Amino acid sequence: MSKLKLAYILSLRNAAADKAGQHIEYKGEKQYMMAPLEYLVTSLNETPLGDAYSLETVIYDDDEGSIKDQEKLKDYGFCRQLGKPWILPLDS
């Protein structure tokens, strides 16, 4: 059986607002905030979902030329950078 192909549309702004890829205080404990993309990839790799679907591409809707996007991503940036948080763990 052939797999259905998925294209994932991602907003780095939303991931940054959600503190994706970071450990945050939640109910008195540090909890890891998994990004939706990380959850999808984990599910495709570790559950039967991967038998039916394949992730083919990730499309970003962020605009590096936008002052609003620059402000919202000031702590994350538009790509992984040493010393800055990112939406996915380093080993991904």
Side-chain angles (χ1 to χ4, degrees):
M1 171 173 78
S2 64
K3 295 181 180 186
L4 291 175
K5 297 177 180 182
L6 299 175
Y8 188 89
I9 300 173
L10 172 69
S11 168
L12 293 172
R13 298 176 318 278
N14 289 347
D18 292 342
K19 303 290 185 191
Q22 294 186 48
H23 288 84
I24 64 161
E25 285 290 329
Y26 179 73
K27 294 187 177 181
E29 296 181 19
K30 288 277 190 182
Q31 298 286 327
Y32 177 72
M33 293 297 295
M34 184 181 279
L37 176 59
E38 183 180 0
Y39 182 82
L40 173 62
V41 170
T42 299
S43 296
L44 290 172
N45 288 332
E46 298 177 4
T47 72
L49 192 66
D51 296 335
Y53 298 95
S54 67
L55 180 61
E56 299 295 315
T57 191
V58 177
I59 302 166
Y60 297 88
D61 74 342
D62 306 285
D63 179 3
E64 290 187 58
S66 165
I67 292 172
K68 286 183 180 181
D69 286 4
Q70 291 171 15
E71 177 61 27
K72 290 178 181 176
L73 288 168
K74 66 182 178 204
D75 294 331
Y76 279 75
F78 289 86
C79 63
R80 187 186 307 264
Q81 299 174 44
L82 189 61
K84 283 192 170 188
W86 189 239
I87 65 167
L88 301 170
L90 281 173
D91 60 352
S92 63

